[in-house]
C-alpha cells in the first residue's frame, strides 16, 4: 500500500468564490441612494423635482394650511396622533417653542424609533418631544399617563406613510413584490393574506364596497375570497385576471381599491377612527383645535359627521364647513397629496 500523502502537496481548502451580487443591489435598504440623503443630496433633489417622494421618507402634506388652522403657540401642548416621518411634528414643534411640548403617537413599531431618533437629532429633548407607540384610539390614556388634562392642538394625518408604502417587505405596495401583509403594526392582528384566505365571498363583497366603493365587488369577491395569495403581486395579478375587460389604467385603479379595502380591514382603521373621534372633545383643552387630513370618502364622511354632531351638541364652538384641499402646485409637486381633504374643529371654551 502506498502512501501518497507524503509525495503530493496538501491541496488548499476549497474556498467558494464570493457570490457575485450583481450590479444592482437587491435589498430595499440598499437600493436607493435617497436612504443616505446627506451623501446623495443631488439625487434627493432630483427625486423631489420629478414629483416623487425620496425612498424611506415621507413628505408632509398641506403643512401651511395645517399650521394656519391649528395656530400652535409657544407654551402649548400638541398631540400629533400620526407621527409618521415627523414632518408635521417638526413644523409644529418649531411653533410651540419656547415652553411647549408635543406628544407624537404612531402605531408602527418599525418606523417610530427612527422618527424619534431623527427628531431628537434636531435638538428636541424628552421634555419637549415624546414618542408613543400607540393607536390614536388610546390618545386619552396617553395624555392621562403624561399627567395632562388635554391638548391645545391635535393633528391626525390618516392612512399610511410613504415609508410603509414603499417598503415591499411591509406588503402595501401594488407594484413591488412582497408578502401580502399590510399591517401598520406587524406585531398585532393578522396579515392580509390570512384575512383574505378566511373571509367568505359575501363578506368580502360588502367590505370592498364599504371600504373602497369598489364597483366590481360582485365579480371580485368570489374570485378572491378564501384564496391564499402569498405576495402582493400575486393578488394584483388575480384582480386583473378577474376583470379581463378593464384596460391597464382601470385595472390598476381596481387593484388600488382592493388593497385599500384590505388595509382598512386588517388595521381596523374605521373603528380606531370612530373611537378617536368620540374621545376627541375630551382630549382637547377648552378652545383647543383639531385638524384631520383624510384620503378617501370613508374617512371624510366619519370626520364630517363627528364634527357636525359635536357642533350641534355644543362640544365644538366652530368647525370647517368646507374641506380644504391641497393647492394645484402641491398636487403637481407631490401627487400623493392629491386626494387629501382637511377638516378642523375648535373645542368650546
Ligand atoms: C400619512 S402618515 C403620517 C405622516 C406624518 N404626518 C408626517 O409628517 O410624516 C400616517 C401615519 O399614521 C400611522 N397610523 C395610522 N393609523 C394609526 C392609528 N390608528 N394610530 C396611530 N397611528 C396610526 C401610520 O403608521 C403612519 O405612520
Amino acid at each position: 500500500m502506498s502512501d501518497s500523502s507524503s509525495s503530493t502537496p496538501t491541496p488548499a481548502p476549497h474556498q467558494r468564490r464570493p457570490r457575485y451580487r450583481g450590479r444592482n443591489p437587491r435589498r430595499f435598504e440598499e437600493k436607493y441612494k435617497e436612504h443616505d440623503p446627506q451623501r446623495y443630496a443631488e439625487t434627493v433633489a432630483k427625486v423631489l423635482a420629478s414629483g416623487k417622494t425620496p425612498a424611506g421618507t415621507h413628505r408632509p402634506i398641506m403643512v401651511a394650511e395645517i399650521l394656519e388652522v391649528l395656530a400652535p403657540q409657544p407654551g402649548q401642548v400638541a398631540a400629533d396622533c400620526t407621527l409618521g416621518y415627523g414632518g408635521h411634528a417638526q413644523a409644529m414643534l418649531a411653533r410651540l417653542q419656547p415652553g411647549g411640548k408635543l406628544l407624537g403617537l404612531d402605531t408602527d413599531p418599525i418606523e417610530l424609533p427612527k422618527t424619534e431618533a431623527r427628531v431628537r437629532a434636531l435638538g428636541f429633548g424628552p421634555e419637549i418631544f415624546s414618542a408613543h407607540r400607540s393607536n390614536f384610539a388610546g390618545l386619552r390614556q396617553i395624555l392621562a399617563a403624561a399627567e395632562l388634562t388635554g391638548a391645545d392642538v391635535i393633528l391626525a394625518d390618516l392612512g399610511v406613510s410613504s415609508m410603509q408604502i414603499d417598503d415591499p417587505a411591509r406588503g402595501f405596495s401594488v407594484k413591488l413584490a412582497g408578502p401580502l401583509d399590510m399591517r401598520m403594526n406587524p406585531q398585532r392582528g393578522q396579515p392580509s393574506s390570512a384575512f383574505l384566505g378566511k373571509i367568505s365571498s359575501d363578506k368580502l363583497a360588502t367590505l370592498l364596497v364599504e371600504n373602497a366603493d369598489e364597483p366590481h365587488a360582485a365579480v371580485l369577491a368570489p374570485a378572491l375570497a378564501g384564496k391564499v395569495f402569498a405576495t402582493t403581486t400575486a393578488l394584483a395579478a388575480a384582480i386583473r385576471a378577474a376583470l379581463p375587460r378593464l384596460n391597464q389604467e382601470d385595472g390598476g385603479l381596481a387593484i388600488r381599491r382592493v388593497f385599500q379595502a384590505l388595509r382598512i380591514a386588517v388595521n381596523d382603521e374605521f373603528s380606531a377612527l370612530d373611537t378617536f373621534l368620540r374621545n376627541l372633545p375630551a382630549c382637547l383643552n377648552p378652545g383647543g383645535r383639531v385638524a384631520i387630513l383624510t384620503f378617501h370618502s370613508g374617512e371624510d364622511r366619519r370626520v364630517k359627521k363627528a364634527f357636525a354632531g359635536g357642533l350641534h351638541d355644543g362640544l365644538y364652538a366652530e368647525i370647517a364647513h368646507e374641506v380644504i384641499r391641497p393647492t394645484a402646485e402641491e398636487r403637481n409637486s407631490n401627487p400623493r397629496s392629491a386626494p387629501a381633504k382637511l377638516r378642523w374643529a375648535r373645542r368650546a371654551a
Side-chain angles (χ1 to χ4, degrees), residues 100-113:
K101 64 160 77 173
L102 183 140
L103 287 76
L105 279 65
D106 205 298
T107 188
D108 183 341
I110 298 169
E111 293 298 331
L112 185 70

Side-chain angles (χ1 to χ4, degrees), residues 32-255:
Y32 298 103
K33 289 180 178 175
E34 300 110 272
H35 284 301
D36 191 350
Q38 254 124 29
R39 202 162 147 211
Y40 298 107
E42 213 178 294
T43 307
V44 171
K46 269 194 208 153
V47 173
L48 288 168
S50 71
K52 294 191 179 133
T53 301
T57 72
H58 179 95
R59 291 162 75 184
I61 291 170
M62 298 180 77
V63 178
E65 292 86 345
I66 286 171
L67 288 177
E68 191 179 334
V69 300
L70 289 179
Q73 305 293 321
Q76 288 190 329
V77 173
D80 183 343
C81 297
T82 49
L83 185 64
Y85 194 71
H88 289 116
Q90 282 173 45
M92 288 195 281
L93 275 162
R95 301 282 184 104
L96 294 166
Q97 300 319 310
K101 64 160 77 173
L102 183 140
L103 287 76
L105 279 65
D106 205 298
T107 188
D108 183 341
I110 298 169
E111 293 298 331
L112 185 70
K114 299 185 208 165
T115 300
E116 181 177 12
R118 215 178 299 113
V119 177
R120 287 266 176 274
L122 293 171
F124 297 107
E127 66 298 346
I128 297 174
F129 166 71
S130 54
H132 306 264
R133 221 281 311 133
S134 167
N135 194 301
F136 53 54
L139 174 63
R140 224 170 148 175
Q141 291 85 326
I142 296 288
L143 288 168
E147 298 180 355
L148 293 164
T149 49
D152 304 299
V153 163
I154 294 179
L155 171 66
D157 171 12
L158 302 179
V160 274
S161 68
S162 297
M163 296 86 75
Q164 291 165 334
I165 298 172
D166 294 342
D167 181 352
R170 305 293 304 266
F172 293 98
S173 174
V174 297
K175 290 190 191 134
L176 305 164
L180 187 62
D181 193 320
M182 300 195 212
R183 283 171 298 172
M184 296 183 208
N185 179 356
Q187 294 160 359
R188 300 196 67 169
Q190 57 181 339
S192 296
S193 53
F195 178 83
L196 204 50
K198 284 185 227 146
I199 197 167
S200 71
S201 176
D202 286 352
K203 278 201 176 138
L204 182 60
T206 308
L207 186 136
L208 290 172
V209 173
E210 281 180 2
N211 291 7
D213 301 319
E214 175 51 59
H216 308 293
V219 177
L220 287 169
L224 307 177
K227 312 246 163 65
V228 175
F229 300 98
T231 63
T232 49
T233 40
L235 174 60
I239 297 166
R240 279 200 193 277
L243 301 170
R245 298 224 179 118
L246 293 193
N247 63 27
Q248 186 69 12
E249 190 184 345
D250 290 342
L253 291 173
I255 292 171

